[in-house]
């Protein structure tokens, strides 16, 4: 535990360092530059952090199912367990990523300016349901620019095997935008747990599943999206557990494991 804590702290120093180092010039550049022109800097940030994860904490990354990504604009709807998820999904967006993010992130100087260069969609959670029309309008504008929109349907990170809570915003986007939705299952919470300073070695995986084509009603889509993501995520987590993981299993996590096995 002590050794892994030290390794994790070293990673965070480099992670925060490279993010700050690139965000400042990129943020200034984005104030005057055309949208999406800073993608080479984003790619440098992505590759640097994957390298730091392998080098300092022993986390490798594996992405599967990329053949399920359709041509052109789509919505990538992913399970969310860790900050690793951003790294995992970035390549699938091509050179026109459009992440849905909370407004507070975009208000950060330099970082927020840089994020806006990539048509990041701002959501003010304080407005509740009133924020939904703005999110839809921004998403429609992103689609006009051939973006692939990335959204975490639960709105926040969840611990592995925690009870799901999919918001209805994703169903509204699906019915309004009339483009395919690609579900994503992953296991990142086993290696980079939420609200934890300690990262654990292993291979974090993300898997793109078959797209859900337009045409379902909101309720049917909502149920299908949650069903396919949760089933595949549980399957992948149990695959990793059977192989063995370095993450110490807490009583709460063991309880969730036992509940899933008995279901």
């Amino acid at each position: 535990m002590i050794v892994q804590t030290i390794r994790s702290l070293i990673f965070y120093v480099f992670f925060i360092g490279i993010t700050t180092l690139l965000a400042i010039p990129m943020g200034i550049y984005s104030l005057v530059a055309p949208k999406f022109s800073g993608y080479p800097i984003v790619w440098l940030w992505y590759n640097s952090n994957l390298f730091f994860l392998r080098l300092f904490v022993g986390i490798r990354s594996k992405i599967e199912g990329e053949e399920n990504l359709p041509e052109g604009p789509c919505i990538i709807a992913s399970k969310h367990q860790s900050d690793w998820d951003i790294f995992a999904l970035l390549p699938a967006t091509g050179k026109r990523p459009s992440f849905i993010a909370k407004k507070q992130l975009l208000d950060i100087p330099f970082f927020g300016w840089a994020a806006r260069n990539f048509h990041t969609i701002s959501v003010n959670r304080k407005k509740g349901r009133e924020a939904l029309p703005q999110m839809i309008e921004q998403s429609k504008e992103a689609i006009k620019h051939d973006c692939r929109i990335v959204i975490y349907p639960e709105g926040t990170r969840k611990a592995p095997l925690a009870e799901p809570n999919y918001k209805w915003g994703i169903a509204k986007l699906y019915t309004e935008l009339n483009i395919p939705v690609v579900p994503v299952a992953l296991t990142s919470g086993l290696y980079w747990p939420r609200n934890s300073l300690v990262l654990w070695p292993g291979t974090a995986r993300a898997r793109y599943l078959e797209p859900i084509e337009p045409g379902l009603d909101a309720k049917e889509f909502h149920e299908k999206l949650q069903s396919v993501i949760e089933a595949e995520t549980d399957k992948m987590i149990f695959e990793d557990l059977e192989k063995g993981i370095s993450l110490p299993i807490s009583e709460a996590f063991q309880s969730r494991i036992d509940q899933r096995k008995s279901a």
Side-chain angles (χ1 to χ4, degrees), residues 171 173-181 212-221 224:
L173 276 181
Y174 168 79
T175 56
E176 289 283 341
L177 299 184
N178 198 38
I179 56 176
V181 174
I212 301 175
E213 298 294 339
L216 303 179
D217 63 44
K219 184 175 185 295
E220 186 179 4
F221 164 79
K224 182 173 183 178

Side-chain angles (χ1 to χ4, degrees), residues 6 31 46 80 89 104 122 148 156 166 216 226 245 256:
I6 294 172
L31 293 176
Y46 163 79
H80 195 18
L89 302 180
Q104 293 91 321
S122 173
R148 287 178 171 177
T156 188
Y166 286 60
L216 303 179
Q226 177 171 315
I245 60 173
R256 296 196 298 272

Side-chain angles (χ1 to χ4, degrees), residues 81 160 187-193 200 236-237 240-241 245 247 253:
Q81 297 178 351
T187 66
S188 56
L190 298 176
Y191 309 99
W192 189 340
W200 299 93
M236 292 168 66
I237 286 174
D240 286 11
L241 288 174
I245 60 173
L247 172 74
F253 188 21

Side-chain angles (χ1 to χ4, degrees), residues 40-156:
I41 296 178
V42 173
W43 197 248
L44 174 61
W45 177 80
Y46 163 79
N47 282 294
S48 297
N49 285 309
L50 287 188
F51 173 73
F52 296 151
L53 280 171
R54 292 195 306 271
L55 178 64
F56 297 123
V57 292
I59 294 179
R60 297 183 177 276
S61 303
K62 184 176 182 181
I63 314 299
E64 305 168 318
E66 290 157 305
E67 67 277 5
N68 287 318
L69 290 164
E71 295 291 334
C74 65
I75 300 171
I76 298 173
S78 175
K79 188 70 179 174
H80 195 18
Q81 297 178 351
S82 165
D83 290 339
W84 177 88
D85 307 342
I86 299 172
F87 306 141
L89 302 180
L90 188 57
T93 61
K95 293 186 178 182
R96 291 182 176 269
S98 182
F99 282 78
I100 294 180
K102 56 185 179 181
K103 181 179 179 295
Q104 293 91 321
L105 290 176
L106 300 187
D107 291 338
I108 300 173
F110 302 107
F111 178 85
W113 304 343
R116 292 182 188 277
N117 185 262
F118 297 95
H119 222 300
T120 302
I121 297 167
S122 173
V123 177
N124 190 344
R125 293 180 179 176
K126 293 181 180 179
K127 290 188 176 182
R129 291 185 178 181
E130 295 179 10
L132 185 58
Q134 294 180 346
M135 182 180 75
I136 291 172
E137 287 307 310
Q138 292 179 68
S139 299
K140 288 180 178 179
E141 187 65 25
I143 292 302
K144 290 180 182 178
H145 290 86
D146 292 326
C147 294
R148 287 178 171 177
I149 298 172
V150 178
I151 184 172
Y152 301 109
E154 293 176 280
T156 188

